[in-house]
Amino acid sequence: MAINKLTITLFLLISLAVFHCLAFRVEVQEFEPPQQEGQEGHGGGSGEGWDEEATKNPYHFGRWSFKNFFQSQEGFVKMLPKFTKRSSTLFRGIENYRFLFQEMQPNTFLVPHHLDADYVFLVVQGKGVIGFVTDTENESFQITKGDVVRVPSSVTHFFANTNGTVPLRLAKIAVPANVPGHFQVFFPAHSGFHQSYFTGFSKDVLTASFNIPEELLGRLIRGPQQQVGQGIIRRVSPEQIKELTEHATSPSNKHKDKKEKHKDKDRSTFGSPFNLLAQDAIYSNNFGRYHEAHPKRFSQLQDLDIAVSWVNMTQGSLFLPQYNSETTFVTFVENGCARYEMASPYTFQGEQQQPWFGPGQEEEVEEEMSGQVHKIVSRVCKGEVFILPAGHPFAILSQDENFVAVGFGIHASNSTRTFLAGQDNMLSNINTVATRLSFGLGSKMAEKLFTSQNYSHFAPTTPRHQFPEKPKPYFQSIFNLAGF
């Protein structure tokens, strides 16, 4: 009896092995697309295989790329150079936009100022107050993590970090109003190396304008003697913090008197902050969450045509391949590290001095359609910036810890996002015949190619998450069938 069971078992094992070998050979033959004449088997160009391209990544800006606008023990304001300084061709569409990052230590105050630029900022850490001042209004708002605020060009404003232990960190995107890609900051009061804009007027004009004696003009232009040498970010006392926050309005719980006061006024000068993280996530599952404020929904963003986003990914998760039709995202990493991969048909020759063109002359760049795809791969970590151009397929893979990034989408109003993998991917809607003809697949493989992913938008990278129930090994099933 034992010999018969062993014979049956061996026969089943041999039969199963032969069957799998034949099936595997057929499936491989179905999957392999026909090669064109003269084509190499591994593909051509820099898209070959899975190796990273050994060139500089023009879309990745490390911490060293930032230039200090201001820095002291109380905080700093840093800014990336014009994107077109990296490449006048690749970033021509966003040449008038500048990215900044601001950090203020606990219990500090950034003095009143204005810019000849509109800008939008997102609070990535901490809490504080922003105050707006015009000739008819004076209003302050409490700001906290996730808040988005629009600051119109030439509106005077100030900041205060009201937290006693945590720095206030802001990511900003600016749109200059006068010179494309350039803006200036104007201070009414003298601060360290930053002169008061009243320095630009004569004594006669200032005396007549303010109707004050000439000896008081020094105080107006140079500031109080005790503040000489202080920077634009200053330490303040708890009492001063309390006074600054006393009349600040919380965006989520406005006082009735404030509503009544401004009920009949045009609030287009500056809008109330809104919290991005309080909005429902557009995409969400166990592996990630994606929030986005679109200009069609939020009036503060409409005329700038800018979207603001926040993505939070768990360790080892994947933001599935996708692209944006018209929006280019400037993305800042707030926490963790990730590998991002992007397909680009454009070449990059490295940083070069751009030629000057005289009046009426324009730089003509003609791109040949070579058919090659360059694989852009970078590891991006906290404090760094990477660009996701419109139309470029990309994916983001979180690595050692949870990954958090915030983004500013430029030209966002009419843009759509298209996923290339996952349950809701665009390619799964292609006709089966068209898929088979395009990718050179058999009918069964064509059906499986774009419909096998179990998740949408965010997915795990480990098989145990993709297939939680591990199937029993074949040999175990065979032995059970044979009675062992």
Side-chain angles (χ1 to χ4, degrees):
M1 184 65 180
I3 295 176
N4 290 337
K5 285 186 177 182
L6 184 59
T7 303
I8 293 172
T9 300
L10 291 173
F11 176 76
L12 289 172
L13 283 171
I14 294 171
S15 301
L16 189 62
V18 172
F19 173 77
H20 275 287
C21 287
L22 291 173
F24 178 75
R25 185 171 183 270
V26 171
E27 224 172 84
V28 167
Q29 288 177 344
E30 277 193 339
F31 186 83
E32 186 175 4
Q35 294 184 8
Q36 300 295 327
E37 195 172 318
Q39 180 183 356
E40 296 294 332
H42 295 290
S46 56
E48 177 181 347
W50 294 96
D51 294 330
E52 297 183 15
E53 199 170 5
T55 58
K56 291 182 179 180
N57 181 357
Y59 303 97
H60 178 197
F61 295 82
R63 293 188 179 187
W64 53 268
S65 302
F66 284 88
K67 306 300 180 184
N68 286 327
F69 172 77
F70 172 81
Q71 185 169 16
S72 71
Q73 293 182 348
E74 286 73 34
F76 61 80
V77 180
K78 296 185 177 183
M79 179 169 58
L80 283 181
K82 283 186 64 176
F83 295 113
T84 48
K85 282 190 174 292
R86 176 70 63 91
S87 171
S88 62
T89 303
L90 297 180
F91 301 119
R92 182 175 297 178
I94 60 172
E95 66 176 339
N96 195 37
Y97 296 82
R98 302 295 298 271
F99 179 83
L100 302 91
F101 191 79
Q102 175 179 317
E103 181 173 302
M104 299 171 60
Q105 292 301 311
N107 295 330
T108 52
F109 174 74
L110 198 160
V111 299
H113 60 285
H114 75 263
L115 287 65
D116 60 340
D118 291 276
Y119 75 89
V120 175
F121 72 82
L122 173 62
V123 182
V124 297
Q125 178 184 286
K127 64 178 183 178
V129 166
I130 180 171
F132 292 101
V133 183
T134 70
D135 53 353
T136 59
E137 296 182 72
N138 178 3
E139 188 163 9
S140 298
F141 295 99
Q142 298 176 16
I143 53 175
T144 188
K145 178 180 176 180
D147 277 349
V148 178
V149 183
R150 158 75 181 279
V151 180
S153 176
S154 298
V155 171
T156 298
H157 57 286
F158 60 84
F159 292 96
N161 181 356
T162 59
N163 193 302
T165 57
V166 179
L168 177 65
R169 293 162 54 85
L170 313 175
K172 305 179 179 183
I173 194 78
V175 188
N178 289 320
V179 182
H182 296 277
F183 66 88
Q184 295 294 333
V185 185
F186 299 83
F187 297 91
H190 179 87
S191 301
F193 297 104
H194 301 275
Q195 291 184 329
S196 164
Y197 49 61
F198 291 116
T199 307
F201 296 94
S202 66
K203 291 183 179 180
D204 295 341
V205 168
L206 293 176
T207 302
S209 298
F210 291 97
N211 193 26
I212 58 175
E214 185 175 329
E215 56 266 20
L216 291 180
L217 290 180
R219 176 68 64 93
L220 178 66
I221 296 175
R222 294 185 295 273
Q225 186 65 34
Q226 64 269 24
Q227 292 184 358
V228 173
Q230 289 192 5
I232 62 174
I233 303 178
R234 304 172 180 178
R235 293 280 179 183
V236 291
S237 67
E239 292 76 18
Q240 292 171 319
I241 289 291
K242 183 178 179 181
E243 188 174 350
L244 286 169
T245 59
E246 186 175 0
H247 301 291
T249 302
S250 172
S252 59
N253 185 23
K254 287 196 167 190
H255 300 304
K256 291 183 179 180
D257 57 337
K258 292 281 184 179
K259 287 185 175 180
E260 292 297 324
K261 180 180 177 181
H262 299 291
K263 182 172 61 175
D264 299 324
K265 286 190 176 182
D266 179 11
R267 296 301 307 278
S268 62
T269 304
F270 45 82
S272 172
F274 64 89
N275 193 278
L276 179 59
L277 300 181
Q279 317 299 318
D280 291 336
I282 298 178
Y283 313 120
S284 177
N285 60 22
N286 291 335
F287 306 100
R289 294 176 63 85
Y290 180 82
H291 299 261
E292 184 176 285
H294 197 273
K296 286 186 176 181
R297 182 180 176 189
F298 295 92
S299 59
Q300 299 95 320
L301 308 175
Q302 282 180 1
D303 62 322
L304 296 182
D305 199 11
I306 288 177
V308 184
S309 66
W310 186 299
V311 63
N312 193 329
M313 301 169 59
T314 60
Q315 179 181 352
S317 62
L318 175 67
F319 202 10
L320 292 171
Q322 60 186 279
Y323 63 84
N324 296 286
S325 62
E326 297 185 28
T327 303
T328 292
F329 270 94
V330 179
T331 310
F332 175 79
V333 181
E334 170 56 16
N335 187 72
C337 293
R339 186 177 83 237
Y340 92 94
E341 301 183 2
M342 185 173 69
S344 175
Y346 296 101
T347 57
F348 178 66
Q349 303 299 328
E351 297 190 33
Q352 298 176 352
Q353 183 68 34
Q354 302 301 331
W356 180 85
F357 296 90
Q361 293 180 304
E362 295 182 358
E363 181 182 9
E364 295 184 3
V365 179
E366 184 176 347
E367 288 287 340
E368 296 183 359
M369 298 182 63
S370 65
Q372 295 185 348
V373 174
H374 300 270
K375 182 182 176 185
I376 308 295
V377 181
S378 272
R379 176 181 166 90
V380 290
C381 294
K382 181 173 181 176
E384 299 181 338
V385 170
F386 60 100
I387 311 296
L388 300 172
H392 286 51
F394 69 91
I396 300 175
L397 173 65
S398 64
Q399 297 188 317
D400 305 330
E401 55 184 316
N402 287 0
F403 178 75
V404 177
V406 299
F408 297 97
I410 300 169
H411 310 310
S413 291
N414 299 316
S415 184
T416 58
R417 182 177 293 102
T418 300
F419 279 88
L420 304 175
Q423 290 185 341
D424 301 324
N425 75 84
M426 174 270 294
L427 296 172
S428 63
N429 291 324
I430 299 179
N431 182 278
T432 305
V433 177
T435 303
R436 187 165 64 247
L437 292 173
S438 301
F439 293 93
L441 306 176
S443 56
K444 292 183 178 180
M445 291 296 295
E447 292 178 4
K448 292 181 179 180
L449 183 60
F450 300 117
T451 60
S452 297
Q453 176 56 259
N454 299 318
Y455 297 93
S456 297
H457 313 125
F458 296 97
T461 55
T462 55
R464 65 184 180 86
H465 285 110
Q466 288 279 8
F467 307 100
E469 293 184 6
K470 187 175 181 180
K472 296 180 179 180
Y474 286 118
F475 68 85
Q476 183 177 347
S477 301
I478 293 171
F479 282 133
N480 290 341
L481 179 63
F484 287 96

